[in-house]
C-alpha cells in the first residue's frame, strides 16, 4: 500500500476507534442532557438521546434553571419555535452552564428567517456555546449576520457551500461549528473535517437536525476537552444509524423508527466498517 493510503486508513481507524469509545462511554455514563428546544423536536430529540444511552430532560422554565442547570452534564439550546417569552430562560441557562463549567450546544434553527430570530441567535452565540450545529443556510446567515430569502428551517445551500462561513463563525465565536448535509462539515476555524455517513431521506423526517445537535451535546458531555472530535463522532454515529435504518425502512416514517433502533443497536463492527471522516 502507498504511504498516503496507509496514513488515510490509519486516520479512518483512529476516528472509528474514537467514535466507538465515546459511544461506549455515553452508554456507561448516561449523561444528563438538558434540552431547551422547539415543540416539533421534543419527542425525536428525547428518544434519540435515550437510544444513545443519555438521559434527556426537556426542562425550559426560567424558574427551574438556577436549581437544575448546574447539575446537568451538557445543555442543548434550540430556537426552532422561538418566541420572546422563551429567550430569557435560554440566556440564563447558557450563563448558568458556563458558570458551572458545563458544555452547551446551540442549534440556530432558521437563523436567517427573521431579524428577531437572527438577533436572538447572535446574542446566544455571544454567550459562548461549545458547539454550534446548523444546516448550510443557517450557518451562512449567522456568519454573515444577515437575513435573506430562506426556506425556513430547511436549507437552500449544500453544506460544502458553507465551509468558509463555518470557519469564519468558528473563529469569531470560539465555538466548534458543524454544518450538516450530504457531507457534515466540522471546524474549529482552522482544521476542517468532513463526516460522510448518512442518507438523504433523513431530511424528510422533521427534527433529525435538532436530534443530532442534542446527540452532539451528549458526546461533548463525555469528552468536553475534545469538542471537535466529539462533534464529528456524534454526526458519524447518527449518519451510520441512518444508513442502517434505511436498509429496513419503506419511507420517512419507518426510517424514523429504524433510525432510533439503529442508534440503540449500533455495535463496534458497524462503526469500524462504515465510519468515514476525512480532512477537507
Ligand atoms: N443529502 C444528505 N445525505 C446524507 N445525509 C444527510 C443529507 N442531508 C442531511 N443529512 C443528515 O440528516 C441529518 C439532519 O441534517 P439536516 O437536514 O442538514 O439538518 P436540519 O434538519 O437542521 O436542516 C444530519 O445527520 C445530516 O448528516
Ligand atoms: C418544522 C419546524 N418548524 C419550527 S422548528 C421545526 C423543526 C426543525 O427541525 P430540523 O431543524 O431538525 O429540521
Ligand atoms: Mg435544523
Amino acid at each position: 500500500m502507498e504511504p498516503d493510503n496507509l496514513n488515510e486508513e490509519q486516520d479512518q481507524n483512529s476516528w472509528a476507534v474514537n467514535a466507538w469509545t465515546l459511544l461506549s462511554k455515553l452508554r456507561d455514563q448516561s449523561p444528563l442532557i438538558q434540552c431547551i428546544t422547539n415543540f416539533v423536536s421534543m419527542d425525536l430529540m428525547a428518544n434519540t438521546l435515550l437510544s444513545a444511552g443519555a438521559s434527556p430532560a426537556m426542562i425550559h422554565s426560567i424558574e427551574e434553571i438556577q436549581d437544575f442547570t448546574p447539575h446537568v452534564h451538557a445543555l442543548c439550546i434550540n430556537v426552532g419555535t422561538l418566541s420572546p417569552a422563551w429567550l430569557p430562560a435560554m440566556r440564563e441557562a447558557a450563563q448558568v452552564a458556563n458558570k458551572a463549567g458545563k458544555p452547551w450546544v446551540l442549534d440556530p434553527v432558521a437563523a436567517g428567517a427573521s431579524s428577531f430570530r437572527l438577533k436572538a441567535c447572535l446574542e446566544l452565540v455571544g454567550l459562548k456555546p461549545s458547539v454550534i450545529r446548523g444546516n448550510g443556510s443557517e450557518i451562512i446567515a449567522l456568519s454573515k449576520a444577515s437575513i435573506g430569502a430562506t426556506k425556513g428551517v430547511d436549507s437552500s445551500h449544500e453544506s460544502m457551500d458553507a465551509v468558509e462561513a463555518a470557519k469564519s463563525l468558528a473563529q469569531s465565536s470560539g465555538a466548534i461549528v458543524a454544518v450538516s448535509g450530504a457531507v457534515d462539515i466540522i471546524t474549529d476555524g482552522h482544521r476542517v473535517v468532513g463526516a460522510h455517513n448518512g442518507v438523504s431521506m433523513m431530511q424528510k423526517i422533521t427534527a433529525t437536525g435538532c436530534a443530532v445537535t442534542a446527540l452532539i451535546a451528549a458526546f461533548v458531555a463525555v469528552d468536553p476537552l475534545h469538542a471537535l472530535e466529539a462533534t464529528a463522532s456524534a454526526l458519524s454515529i447518527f449518519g451510520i444509524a441512518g444508513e442502517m435504518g434505511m436498509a429496513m425502512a419503506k419511507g420517512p416514517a419507518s426510517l424514523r423508527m429504524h433510525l432510533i433502533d439503529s442508534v440503540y443497536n449500533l455495535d463496534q463492527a458497524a462503526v469500524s466498517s462504515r465510519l468515514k471522516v476525512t480532512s477537507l
Side-chain angles (χ1 to χ4, degrees):
M1 197 179 281
E2 294 297 316
D4 277 359
N5 292 345
L6 193 62
N7 282 343
E8 247 174 56
E9 194 175 312
Q10 282 168 347
D11 277 357
Q12 282 308 312
N13 281 343
S14 62
W15 277 108
V17 168
N18 192 48
W20 174 251
T21 304
L22 294 185
L23 179 60
S24 304
K25 267 194 186 174
L26 210 168
R27 287 170 173 173
D28 285 350
Q29 295 176 9
S30 191
L32 173 59
I33 312 299
Q34 179 181 6
C35 305
I36 303 183
T37 192
N38 68 75
F39 300 114
V40 184
S41 70
M42 286 180 183
D43 180 293
L44 184 63
M45 185 180 285
N47 278 304
T48 299
L49 286 169
L50 282 169
S51 63
S55 179
M58 287 28 206
I59 288 183
H60 62 248
S61 163
I62 195 159
E63 284 77 11
E64 298 177 278
I65 304 286
Q66 292 292 342
D67 289 342
F68 182 68
T69 306
H71 303 294
V72 306
H73 296 106
L75 164 72
C76 175
I77 297 183
N78 175 308
V79 299
T81 48
L82 192 63
S83 65
W86 280 59
L87 253 179
M90 291 178 175
R91 232 181 253 133
E92 188 159 317
Q95 286 163 342
V96 171
N98 286 342
K99 199 165 159 215
K102 305 299 168 71
W104 76 274
V105 177
L106 174 66
D107 191 325
V109 180
S114 70
S115 310
F116 164 66
R117 201 174 270 265
L118 181 66
K119 191 163 165 265
C121 288
L122 290 172
E123 188 191 348
L124 291 168
V125 169
L127 296 177
K128 295 273 165 217
S130 309
V131 182
I132 303 166
R133 194 293 314 168
N135 62 38
S137 296
E138 291 159 352
I139 297 302
I140 289 170
L142 264 191
S143 177
K144 292 201 302 199
S146 74
I147 62 168
T150 72
K151 268 171 71 191
V153 304
D154 289 332
S155 189
S156 46
H157 295 86
E158 298 295 325
S159 53
M160 292 300 279
D161 299 339
V163 173
E164 288 311 314
K167 283 174 77 176
S168 143
L169 180 61
Q171 283 169 14
S172 61
S173 65
I176 299 301
V177 174
V179 189
S180 55
V183 180
D184 300 317
I185 315 285
I186 306 99
T187 181
D188 59 7
H190 305 284
R191 190 174 165 208
V192 185
V193 299
H196 299 257
N197 294 105
V199 292
S200 64
M201 180 84 76
M202 290 163 87
Q203 296 168 91
K204 297 291 180 198
I205 307 167
T206 192
T208 46
C210 306
V212 80
T213 303
L215 193 62
I216 290 168
F219 272 70
V220 174
V222 297
D223 195 3
L225 299 180
H226 302 101
L228 185 147
E229 288 79 1
T231 301
S233 297
L235 284 157
S236 299
I237 292 293
F238 199 61
I240 292 170
E243 292 169 9
M244 297 179 73
M246 196 64 217
M248 298 177 270
K250 296 199 176 88
S254 49
L255 177 57
R256 186 183 192 279
M257 175 180 81
H258 289 303
L259 175 63
I260 295 169
D261 283 355
S262 298
V263 171
Y264 181 79
N265 288 314
L266 215 55
D267 61 15
Q268 187 168 15
V271 174
S272 60
S273 64
R274 288 176 180 266
L275 182 138
K276 188 171 174 207
V277 173
T278 58
S279 291
L280 295 178

